[in-house]
Amino acid sequence: MTERIAIYPGTFDPITNGHLDIIARSRAQFDRVVVAVSQNPGKSPLFTLEERIAIVKEVVAAHDHIDVESFEGLLVDFAKRRGASALVKGLRAVTDFDYELQMAQMNYRLSGVETMFLVANPVYSFLSSSLVKEVAQFGGDVDEMVPPEVARRLRERFRGEG
Ligand code: PNS
């Protein structure tokens, strides 16, 4: 039987517990989930692409059938190369919806690839990588919002050690 593969794309700068929840729930629906880390230089990421990939690999290491890969260019081209049957996106609130809908329609128009939306667990609906970085930058506690490896790296980065 053909393996059903989902792509979960993002910048993951850095990965949060909200992302991890979506990855675990996607894995329950698909045989394999490819976490596709975008270079996204336009966003001036705090962590380099290599660091973001290493962090995501570390936090999903204990889980089977979850791959972590980088991609450049169009997401739908990567999805085709990987033989994926769907893109997965998490929706935290209606404010995410407009842009995600537009991207899903564009991606479908470009390639016929489906986008599946998973509704974020309300526990994580306030959570974003940007806010986590801002809180960590000013010494706030993000321990319950990100995996321990990420909290440690944020502390190192903002203390100038990383
Ligand atoms: O975590 P983010 O920053 O919200 O992820 C955005 C991402 C990487 C999913 C989006 O920017 C993307 O799909 N980029 C790839 C380029 C592309 O295919 N653009 C057309 C989208 S319709």
Side-chain angles (χ1 to χ4, degrees), residues 33-37 52-54 56-57 60 66-70:
V33 174
V34 180
V35 182
V37 184
R52 283 178 277 137
I53 289 174
V56 180
K57 280 190 172 163
V60 302
I66 297 177
D67 300 339
V68 184
E69 295 175 18
S70 65

Side-chain angles (χ1 to χ4, degrees), residues 1-161:
M1 222 176 72
T2 324
E3 195 180 38
R4 277 174 50 80
I5 301 175
I7 306 282
Y8 180 47
T11 308
F12 303 107
D13 185 44
I15 191 164
T16 68
N17 289 343
H19 293 129
L20 281 175
D21 181 54
I22 299 291
I23 293 170
R25 288 163 57 201
S26 311
R27 178 62 190 90
Q29 303 297 327
F30 291 88
D31 301 319
R32 181 174 296 277
V33 174
V34 180
V35 182
V37 184
S38 166
Q39 169 76 279
N40 235 334
K43 283 198 169 178
S44 306
L46 175 67
F47 294 101
T48 65
L49 178 64
E50 291 70 27
E51 287 171 327
R52 283 178 277 137
I53 289 174
I55 296 170
V56 180
K57 280 190 172 163
E58 215 174 312
V59 301
V60 302
H63 301 273
D64 281 345
H65 302 292
I66 297 177
D67 300 339
V68 184
E69 295 175 18
S70 65
F71 77 101
E72 273 183 289
L74 284 180
L75 177 59
V76 291
D77 291 340
F78 176 75
K80 261 195 214 151
R81 279 202 302 278
R82 256 345 233 95
S85 45
L87 309 172
V88 170
K89 296 289 191 89
L91 288 178
R92 289 165 298 190
V94 283
T95 43
D96 284 339
F97 187 71
D98 270 354
Y99 186 47
E100 290 296 345
L101 177 70
Q102 207 181 354
M103 284 198 288
Q105 289 171 327
M106 175 61 90
N107 284 330
Y108 186 78
R109 176 65 206 266
L110 288 172
S111 69
V113 72
E114 299 287 358
T115 299
M116 300 208 179
F117 292 109
L118 291 181
V119 176
N121 184 327
V123 170
Y124 302 122
S125 57
F126 66 95
L127 203 47
S128 71
S129 298
S130 327
L131 276 186
V132 162
K133 283 183 281 189
E134 187 169 322
V135 171
Q137 180 177 6
F138 296 114
D141 182 359
V142 295
D143 286 358
E144 294 192 352
M145 303 172 201
V146 293
E149 297 88 336
V150 174
R152 178 179 55 75
R153 282 178 194 251
L154 283 166
R155 276 193 293 273
E156 287 171 0
R157 185 58 47 103
F158 288 122
R159 274 201 257 115
E161 295 165 14

